[in-house]
Amino acid sequence: MVGVWTIALSVTFGIPASFADVIFLGVTAVTLAFCLFLNKYLPTIDASSTHVFPVQMLMTCMQIVCACWTALGIVVILICLSAKAAAGRRPASFALGGFDPSASGWTPGWSFFIGLLPPAYTYSAIGMIASMAEEVHDPSTILPQAMAWSIPIGAIWGVVFLLPILFTLPDVSILLSVPSGQPIGVMFTLAMGSNAGGFGLVANNDFLVFGTGMFCAISISCAASRATWAFARDKAIPFHAHFSKISPHLADVPVNALLLSTAIQVLLGLIYLGSSTAFNAFVGVAVMCLGASYAMPVAMSLVDGRRHVRDAPFRLGTKVGWAVNAIAVLWIVFATVLFSMPAVIPVTKVTMNYASVVFVGFAVISAVWYMITGCRVWLLNVPSTDASIPDRSGGRYHYTGPPVPDDTSSTQSPRSASLPPKLE
């Protein structure tokens, strides 16, 4: 949950950070209103289907619009920079193979690994797609496809975005000396050859980036509210009875869970007013927490001999599956170390990376909470497979997704078939 809340914070706060910090509250308010009131009004595609849940329709619409919006921004930057290139054109040896680690102070090898942090952050929230599992049909098939396809699609668009910048990049020393630490405006101004051209591209880029960020903020806040609700439903957070309630008046939106997730984002965002270093520690811990949450079930599956994935819809085979799972766990462990390191040396109290302190602190709190209530609640909620023992849990799963059509028994996943009908 810490990873879910902090990664959502990094998005909602990251949008106004490029413009004005005060916009943070406005972005959060718009996101909250969207998730609360507009779920069932904005979806426009596949409206004839009676088996499509409003949130599923909404997320599909948002993904299409956001994809087109993002593509437009990338194409504009590609054309403008490639056509003008006022600062000169870099050779392919620089754009594709240039590497200068001197600015970080680290050794070349470790500087290279530090450079992996941005792409690691980019893909860190892929697992949050699973938060919408109970609102789609056949999630064991659809969700892995969504996660898998997001990687090559993001990689291709990322390359298209970066290549024109690399081939027209101005003097790096000038960009590193920008006082604000945000050299995008200076970079575009130098590449376009004039303040007007730079301002036009920056303004256009800011507008497109702001729009893309808003789409991302709405999506990730929606997913964060579902994850919060799922934890409350399983009695994994304090006051779970309150935060696990579903509003029957707002298209089955988990209002209390959404308000909790939003309130935590606002409180953590206000930390920035007192200490930007402390705020950066909370934002930096997002990838570490999410990575740990991804690695633990994979590691447990490996220890258990991968027995529970033998009947999965997508199988890589025994050898490849073991190798992929092992590499994934090792990479997450390594990435956790990377995100604990300062970006530059020598280290000061301002440039120090305190994400590891926050990570360990939340891990201890989570462990203590689990020892106090988690063990007891979990054991009571697991339905017994022994028919002679009464089931005290009242049902482990509380499916609130769309009604399952009667004619899909042949294509329905075993897990979906085992779920009870929607609870009223």
Side-chain angles (χ1 to χ4, degrees), residues 113-124 339:
F113 287 117
I114 293 293
L116 297 177
L117 297 182
Y121 171 82
T122 301
Y123 291 112
S124 62
F339 273 89

Side-chain angles (χ1 to χ4, degrees), residues 235 374-383 391-394 396:
K235 304 179 181 180
C375 296
R376 177 177 55 84
V377 170
W378 175 258
L379 292 176
L380 288 177
N381 279 356
V382 175
D391 182 7
R392 297 172 295 175
S393 67
R396 175 64 181 155

Side-chain angles (χ1 to χ4, degrees), residues 54-339:
V55 174
Q56 182 185 353
M57 295 166 57
L58 172 64
M59 298 305 289
T60 304
C61 291
M62 288 175 55
Q63 290 165 3
I64 294 175
V65 176
C66 182
C68 295
W69 190 282
T70 304
L72 176 62
I74 294 175
V75 170
V76 169
I77 293 175
L78 171 64
I79 295 176
C80 292
L81 291 183
S82 300
K84 190 66 176 177
R89 301 184 186 275
R90 299 282 190 171
S93 58
F94 173 86
L96 303 179
F99 179 64
D100 182 11
S102 59
S104 69
W106 291 103
T107 60
W110 191 250
S111 294
F112 171 80
F113 287 117
I114 293 293
L116 297 177
L117 297 182
Y121 171 82
T122 301
Y123 291 112
S124 62
I126 286 180
M128 290 182 64
I129 297 175
S131 301
M132 311 303 297
E134 295 183 86
E135 300 180 37
V136 297
H137 288 307
D138 198 11
S140 60
T141 300
I142 296 176
L143 296 185
Q145 289 177 339
M147 294 180 187
W149 278 108
S150 64
I151 297 176
I153 292 175
I156 292 173
W157 279 110
V159 171
V160 175
F161 172 75
L162 288 174
L163 283 180
I165 295 178
L166 292 174
F167 276 100
T168 60
L169 191 68
D171 188 356
V172 177
S173 61
I174 297 178
L175 301 180
L176 292 176
S177 63
V178 174
S180 64
Q182 298 290 338
I184 295 179
V186 176
M187 178 185 69
F188 284 148
T189 298
L190 295 176
M192 295 301 294
S194 66
N195 290 330
F199 176 79
L201 193 55
V202 170
N204 174 76
N205 184 60
D206 283 349
F207 177 71
L208 294 171
V209 168
F210 187 85
T212 302
M214 285 301 303
F215 285 119
C216 184
I218 294 170
S219 299
I220 203 166
S221 295
C222 181
S225 68
R226 270 50 177 186
T228 304
W229 170 78
F231 267 71
R233 175 200 62 186
D234 291 345
K235 304 179 181 180
I237 61 176
F239 308 105
H240 54 81
H242 179 70
F243 294 117
S244 61
K245 292 181 179 180
I246 299 292
S247 172
H249 307 294
L250 294 172
D252 288 340
V253 174
V255 175
N256 295 337
L258 177 61
L259 293 177
L260 173 63
S261 176
T262 303
I264 291 176
Q265 293 180 50
V266 171
L267 292 176
L268 291 178
L270 294 178
I271 295 178
Y272 186 83
L273 300 177
S275 172
S276 60
T277 302
F279 172 80
N280 292 332
F282 280 99
V283 173
V285 81
V287 179
M288 299 169 64
C289 290
L290 288 175
S293 69
Y294 304 155
M296 285 189 288
V298 177
M300 288 187 291
S301 177
L302 290 173
V303 173
D304 197 38
R306 303 180 77 247
R307 291 188 300 111
H308 296 287
V309 297
R310 292 175 183 174
D311 296 328
F314 304 98
R315 294 183 293 274
L316 296 176
T318 303
K319 295 182 179 179
V320 178
W322 275 90
V324 170
N325 288 164
I327 293 174
V329 173
L330 292 176
W331 163 250
I332 291 174
V333 172
F334 182 62
T336 301
V337 176
L338 284 180
F339 273 89

Side-chain angles (χ1 to χ4, degrees), residues 277 341-354:
T277 302
M341 304 298 292
V344 297
I345 54 176
V347 181
T348 65
K349 64 179 182 180
V350 176
T351 61
M352 175 60 185
N353 187 352
Y354 296 97

Side-chain angles (χ1 to χ4, degrees), residues 40-54 57 61:
K40 66 179 182 180
Y41 296 109
L42 293 185
T44 56
I45 63 173
D46 201 18
S48 61
S49 174
T50 59
H51 302 300
V52 180
F53 198 53
M57 295 166 57
C61 291

